[in-house]
Amino acid sequence: MTENATDRLARMLSLVPYISRRPGVGIDELAREFGVGRDQISADLDLLMVCGLPGYYPDDLIDVVLDDDGGTVSITFDAGIERPVRLTADEAQALLVALRALAQTPGLVETDAVQSALAKLAELDRPAAESTDVVRVLPADPAVEMGTVRDALDRSRRLWMRYYTASRDTVTERTVDPLRILVTDGHAYLEAYCHLARAIRHFRIDRIEAARVLDEPAQGSLWVDSEVPDRIFHPDPAVPPVEIELTGGARWVAEYYPVESVSPMPEPRPGVRVTIHAGSDEWLARLVLSLGGDAVVTNRPEITELVARRAEQALAAYDRR
């Protein structure tokens, strides 16, 4: 798996003070500490040797000293990188709030490890800890206990569940082999092999309406991408994009959903015009219906007709009652 530049930069900025405080530290120890291979540490050290202060003359570069057999390393000039990168006040506060949210989500993570991290962070930055004491994180109330999903994952057992698919507005019963729990884009997901879809799928845990751990062992996947995606949802390329004019109380859609483009609307109708790729036309119709008269589709008349039919069906249902 290719490492991104941000992760490598963060590691290298930590490597310099770590080695400076432990002259003669072993390459193997560095690899274990930073969770990478020996070859990667060697490549990082080679790069550090050509980094330093502006001017970049020999005396300005970080001085990395390897022993004769390349087993240990020291740094005799650190170019001012004397300590690990410190969090800003805003970063420390955000991290504290996020850790508290994790600690209050049953079954999602090892609570003891989160509490230990919270205590260490609070000790290092007491002002940030005190400023976030007034923040109370209210955990979500999922339709199914996270513990059921975690139990199936920990015991490597298949999981039966009843799941709501928002893009199709349907509820299905599925049997899955759990692989891992992900937290991304503000939601917790179960990554699992779905026997109904015959493929790996991601299930939002707050949309699992019921779940039961089965006695049958789960089959592990031959390959799982270790990276956590920024977003789980990917639009269906077969569904054409839709342009929607959002006014009044509907303008929040442009910030909440992934949109392709946003442009202001001219007076006298203040608002924004957005282009959205969705998972299905049915989902688009439900979205427009939920926004009332504050959302108007401008480029796909079939969606407008679908919205009208769904509205008529809803009114007819009220009349029958």
Side-chain angles (χ1 to χ4, degrees):
M1 181 185 64
T2 303
E3 181 182 44
N4 62 51
T6 302
D7 292 338
R8 188 180 187 190
L9 175 61
R11 182 177 63 252
M12 292 177 64
L13 288 174
S14 298
L15 265 174
V16 176
Y18 188 93
I19 298 172
S20 295
R21 297 178 183 184
R22 299 167 180 83
V25 64
I27 301 295
D28 291 333
E29 179 183 336
L30 291 173
R32 289 193 301 270
E33 179 68 25
F34 289 91
V36 296
R38 181 187 175 94
D39 290 344
Q40 182 61 64
I41 291 294
S42 297
D44 290 344
L45 294 174
D46 289 341
L47 183 56
L48 283 173
M49 292 180 186
V50 295
C51 298
L53 300 174
Y56 305 106
Y57 292 104
D59 290 343
D60 298 324
L61 301 179
I62 295 173
D63 193 1
V64 179
V65 180
L66 293 168
D67 68 354
D68 293 338
D69 61 2
T72 63
V73 60
S74 302
I75 288 181
T76 57
F77 176 65
D78 58 20
I81 307 178
E82 300 173 353
R83 59 183 64 133
V85 177
R86 288 186 173 274
L87 297 174
T88 66
D90 289 344
E91 290 170 339
Q93 290 169 345
L95 184 55
L96 281 164
V97 172
L99 285 171
R100 286 173 181 167
L102 284 175
Q104 295 176 22
T105 305
L108 183 58
V109 294
E110 295 292 338
T111 305
D112 291 344
V114 175
Q115 293 293 353
S116 175
L118 274 170
K120 291 177 181 177
L121 187 58
E123 184 178 349
L124 290 172
D125 197 335
R126 292 195 177 279
E130 293 171 357
S131 67
T132 56
D133 281 342
V134 297
V135 178
R136 293 293 177 264
V137 180
L138 300 177
D141 184 16
V144 64
E145 286 292 332
M146 177 75 76
T148 304
V149 177
R150 170 60 70 181
D151 183 41
L153 188 63
D154 290 343
R155 296 198 291 131
S156 191
R157 293 291 186 269
R158 283 190 177 173
L159 183 72
W160 170 89
M161 63 183 184
R162 188 165 61 244
Y163 184 72
Y164 170 68
T165 304
S167 62
R168 296 193 297 272
D169 193 28
T170 58
V171 176
T172 55
E173 294 186 3
R174 302 167 181 258
T175 300
V176 302
D177 293 333
L179 298 175
R180 59 176 176 168
I181 292 175
L182 307 175
V183 178
T184 184
D185 198 26
H187 299 287
Y189 291 85
L190 169 65
E191 184 176 73
Y193 177 84
C194 176
H195 291 271
L196 181 64
R198 296 184 179 180
I200 292 178
R201 292 288 185 265
H202 295 94
F203 303 96
R204 256 182 62 170
I205 291 180
D206 60 349
R207 290 177 179 166
I208 301 176
E209 296 187 351
R212 184 174 68 253
V213 180
L214 304 178
D215 293 332
E216 187 174 359
Q219 296 182 5
S221 174
L222 295 177
W223 175 84
V224 176
D225 189 351
S226 61
E227 288 190 349
V228 178
D230 293 333
R231 287 187 179 274
I232 296 294
F233 170 75
H234 296 284
D236 186 347
V239 178
V242 62
E243 292 181 359
I244 307 177
E245 292 183 349
L246 303 170
T247 57
R251 283 182 283 185
W252 60 269
V253 170
E255 299 177 358
Y256 186 80
Y257 292 105
V259 296
E260 187 176 278
S261 64
V262 182
S263 59
M265 290 170 52
E267 298 290 347
R269 294 189 67 205
V272 293
R273 182 180 292 107
V274 300
T275 302
I276 294 180
H277 276 86
S280 69
D281 288 349
E282 285 288 346
W283 181 88
L284 283 170
R286 293 199 306 277
L287 174 65
V288 175
L289 273 172
S290 68
L291 299 173
D294 290 336
V296 177
V297 177
T298 60
N299 72 323
R300 293 185 58 194
E302 70 274 18
I303 298 296
T304 303
E305 294 173 2
L306 180 59
V307 170
R309 289 200 304 272
R310 294 292 179 264
E312 290 172 356
Q313 291 169 357
L315 289 173
Y318 278 108
D319 290 340
R320 286 194 298 271
R321 288 190 177 184

